[in-house]
Amino acid sequence: MPLTLAQLEALSQQTFPTRAVSRRDVDGHAALHAAIGAAIDPVARALEFDMSSFVARDEQELLTLPPHILFVWCDEADLMASFYALPEADISPSVAQALHAVAGLRFGDPAQLPPEQRGAVLRIMAAIGTPLARDADDFFAAYVDGGAQDPELPVRAEVEALFDQFAPCYVPDADGLDRRFTRVITAHRHIDA
């Protein structure tokens, strides 16, 4: 059972805190962890996301865990959202820059975006990978090829390196939320009418 369009819009644009945890926040990680659980819980059933094992953690417990970014990909094509727990230590500079550029972005056809945003969106979509294309070659042909050698777009070798990179970070249920998150980044791909 997919989300309604209104639920998907709310999830991508309003539900999650947009501010990263500050080093000065004495309970910042615990507050963000609880806010993530509260944001997902109302739509968990529609997403087939089991929240029964979610446990709020205190700050001291969370500080023993490595830092992660929760990336929320909302896609109107199937009215679903996917969650990815990205370990901060493993994020490449190009992916970090792309995440920063797409944070809070609501977009349709990537080809209609300004070159820098288009490049960022395509890098993130390549890292998501399989749900969007069969393989790196298929992705490159569908989304990048024909970009008139724009220096902002990923080249074939970069698409191959990025393709499906987020797959091991996919969060299928609440057990995957048992991490220290430092921020939430959302992106929303809408269907152009």
Side-chain angles (χ1 to χ4, degrees):
M1 166 171 79
L3 298 175
T4 66
L5 187 55
Q7 287 173 314
L8 192 67
E9 287 279 347
L11 195 62
S12 73
Q13 303 295 310
Q14 302 160 358
T15 306
F16 292 101
T18 56
R19 191 176 66 80
V21 174
S22 166
R23 295 182 201 279
R24 293 179 298 240
D25 286 339
V26 292
D27 280 339
H29 297 99
L32 180 58
H33 188 261
I36 289 168
I40 296 172
D41 194 50
V43 295
R45 186 167 176 212
L47 294 173
E48 298 176 8
F49 191 92
D50 183 4
M51 284 293 289
S52 63
S53 64
F54 183 80
V55 176
R57 301 287 180 198
D58 70 32
E59 191 72 14
Q60 293 310 308
E61 288 177 292
L62 292 171
L63 286 173
T64 65
L65 303 173
H68 287 72
I69 293 171
L70 181 65
F71 178 62
V72 182
W73 174 258
C74 297
D75 198 329
E76 286 182 19
D78 55 6
L79 291 174
M80 293 297 275
S82 300
F83 306 102
Y84 300 89
L86 308 176
E88 286 186 5
D90 297 341
I91 298 174
S92 71
S94 68
V95 171
Q97 185 177 6
L99 285 168
H100 179 73
V102 304
L105 185 65
R106 186 178 184 282
F107 67 95
D109 179 3
Q112 303 304 312
L113 293 170
E116 188 175 321
Q117 278 187 328
R118 180 179 180 203
V121 163
L122 292 177
R123 284 175 178 86
I124 297 302
M125 289 173 65
I128 291 170
T130 304
L132 303 170
R134 261 188 339 268
D135 55 31
D137 289 335
D138 184 44
F139 182 89
F140 191 83
Y143 296 104
V144 184
D145 209 10
Q149 304 301 323
D150 187 322
E152 297 292 338
L153 300 184
V155 296
R156 184 179 297 274
E158 186 179 7
V159 168
E160 289 171 359
L162 286 172
F163 193 78
D164 244 358
Q165 194 176 84
F166 287 3
C169 304
Y170 178 71
V171 177
D173 56 32
D175 289 339
L177 297 176
D178 203 16
R179 291 176 164 85
R180 174 168 54 120
F181 291 106
T182 58
R183 70 176 304 172
V184 178
I185 295 176
T186 64
H188 181 126
R189 183 170 77 155
H190 68 85
I191 303 299
D192 292 323

